[in-house]
Amino acid sequence: MKSLAELQAIKDRMKDKVVLREGTGDMRVVVGMATCGIAAGARPVLNALVEEVNKAGLSEKVTVSQTGCIGICQFEPVVEVFEAGKEKVTYVKMTAEKAKEVVEKHLKGGRVIAEYTLKDENL
Amino acid sequence: MKELSLNILDITENSVKAGAGLTEIILEETDDNLKITIRDDGCGMDPETVKAVTDPFYTTRTTRKVGMGVPLLKLAAEQTGGSFKISSVSEKDSPADHGTEVTAQFNKNHLDFTPLGDIVSTITTLIQGHPDTDFLYSHTYAGACVSLDTREIREVLEGVPLDTYEVIKWIGENLNEQYSENFPDQ
């Protein structure tokens, strides 16, 4: 059973890291979690991002957060990537598999996956 | 929505947006019925807004910010022959005691009953997205109970954020273990 003692151990391990976490996060990944996003499948996308970011060892560099309706409901699930000094990248019609790829290629490798992004001609 | 747990996620997001300090998600289940209650201590709504959120197509849209979330849950409940209720007390009318309560009752044996789905994932998603607000989750079925209170977790963590990956993972595994121990048939 996942006991409170185990949670306690997590706390002891994490306590020193907390300071480190604050103020970092050069990259922000935002998932649209309004009704439109949730209905289109945003929950597994978000969970895949959280999972893969951690697996790739990017937790200190990348923050994954949730937002409301971005206004392009027909393209949900939508994932936006913000990086200091760079233009925002908007990934559309995401799936957990695509999210995994985005973590590997974009967040880790620095290469935007153009075919998953929103094109101007779509708008 | 393919799963009721997604409706729950959607409706609870409203509670968080209403500035709730604590949101309770309570599932009471029998062999025939499922009752979902989502209760928060957020800013609440005035009576006109309450009316508008249940029936968005009849508003004059001056209220805005009213979406499909509530009507979708209402529909999911009513299509099983169940019922839906929303009540709210606004902060303006009652500064000391305010908030919103949504109750949806489902007839589980109806053909159009939407399965609950991955409720654990809904709870972890809520906590990951809103680590600074509290959630109380409780699911009872045939005398057994699965529950989680982020206030207790927060106390143990002593300042370590609830959206820490290891913490979210612990919460998910804790709930899954509670489910397999207490609701072995589900």
Side-chain angles (χ1 to χ4, degrees):
Chain A
M1 189 72 194
K2 288 279 150 189
S3 62
L4 283 177
E6 228 168 304
L7 190 64
Q8 187 95 32
I10 294 173
K11 180 211 78 185
D12 293 337
R13 272 204 312 279
M14 288 298 147
K15 245 194 149 172
D16 313 324
K17 282 196 180 174
V18 173
V19 191
L20 241 163
R21 278 168 52 101
E22 309 266 336
T24 53
D26 324 329
M27 258 180 159
R28 214 157 52 82
V29 181
V30 181
V31 184
M33 294 288 287
T35 307
C36 47
I38 293 170
R43 191 181 65 187
V45 170
L46 177 93
N47 289 336
L49 285 169
V50 169
E51 187 76 28
E52 294 302 319
V53 161
N54 187 270
K55 254 198 230 161
L58 296 170
S59 326
E60 262 151 44
K61 184 184 157 205
V62 181
T63 27
V64 181
S65 56
Q66 305 174 19
T67 188
C69 178
I70 298 165
I72 44 168
C73 311
Q74 68 273 38
F75 295 107
E76 293 282 357
V78 172
V79 173
E80 294 179 313
V81 180
F82 297 89
E83 197 175 355
K86 287 189 185 167
E87 212 169 306
K88 174 183 82 179
V89 177
T90 305
Y91 290 109
V92 296
K93 298 196 174 170
M94 290 295 283
T95 60
E97 288 71 39
K98 286 180 181 175
K100 223 170 147 172
E101 227 181 300
V102 165
V103 172
E104 195 54 39
K105 289 184 180 157
H106 183 172
L107 307 186
K108 198 173 179 192
R111 296 185 313 276
V112 175
I113 309 174
E115 55 169 315
Y116 299 161
T117 62
L118 184 68
K119 318 273 189 311
D120 290 340
E121 64 260 31
N122 289 334
L123 293 173
Chain B
M1 302 267 181
K2 287 186 199 123
E3 306 173 1
L4 288 181
S5 65
L6 292 174
N7 293 94
I8 294 173
L9 174 60
D10 188 26
I11 298 296
T12 310
E13 295 281 356
N14 297 341
S15 296
V16 175
K17 252 176 255 152
L22 175 68
T23 305
E24 296 166 68
I25 301 166
I26 298 153
L27 273 53
E28 295 157 281
E29 200 173 345
T30 64
D31 287 338
D32 303 320
N33 279 288
L34 171 66
K35 184 178 162 198
I36 298 173
T37 306
I38 299 162
R39 187 187 302 136
D40 69 59
D41 58 1
C43 65
M45 295 174 277
D46 56 50
E48 288 102 81
T49 314
V50 173
K51 233 175 140 191
V53 294
T54 13
D55 217 350
F57 301 120
Y58 278 89
T59 67
T60 51
R61 269 227 170 204
T62 45
T63 42
R64 194 49 194 119
K65 277 278 174 192
V66 165
M68 290 298 292
V70 170
L72 280 172
L73 178 62
K74 184 170 185 269
L75 176 74
E78 286 174 352
Q79 75 186 5
T80 71
S83 62
F84 178 87
K85 216 178 80 191
I86 180 165
S87 59
S88 193
V89 176
S90 77
E91 193 167 7
K92 211 177 69 194
D93 291 340
S94 171
D97 184 17
H98 49 83
T100 302
E101 182 173 309
V102 173
T103 313
Q105 200 137 10
F106 299 81
N107 180 354
K108 280 168 60 186
N109 301 319
H110 195 284
L111 197 65
D112 291 322
F113 175 67
T114 317
L116 181 60
D118 190 356
I119 186 70
V120 171
S121 183
T122 280
I123 303 301
T124 54
T125 301
L126 282 167
I127 298 171
Q128 193 273 339
H130 315 287
D132 299 325
T133 60
D134 281 310
F135 298 98
L136 173 69
Y137 174 65
S138 140
H139 186 174
T140 48
Y141 186 19
C145 180
V146 167
S147 68
L148 188 100
D149 188 339
T150 58
R151 290 170 299 187
E152 289 168 7
I153 294 170
R154 202 178 296 284
E155 205 171 303
V156 174
L157 287 175
E158 289 175 16
V160 171
L162 266 79
D163 60 349
T164 306
Y165 176 76
E166 284 78 3
V167 174
I168 294 294
K169 217 173 139 169
W170 180 89
I171 292 170
E173 285 169 7
N174 176 282
L175 282 171
N176 279 322
E177 282 178 21
Q178 284 192 54
Y179 269 108
S180 48
E181 249 172 56
N182 297 321
F183 299 179
D185 303 331
Q186 284 206 322

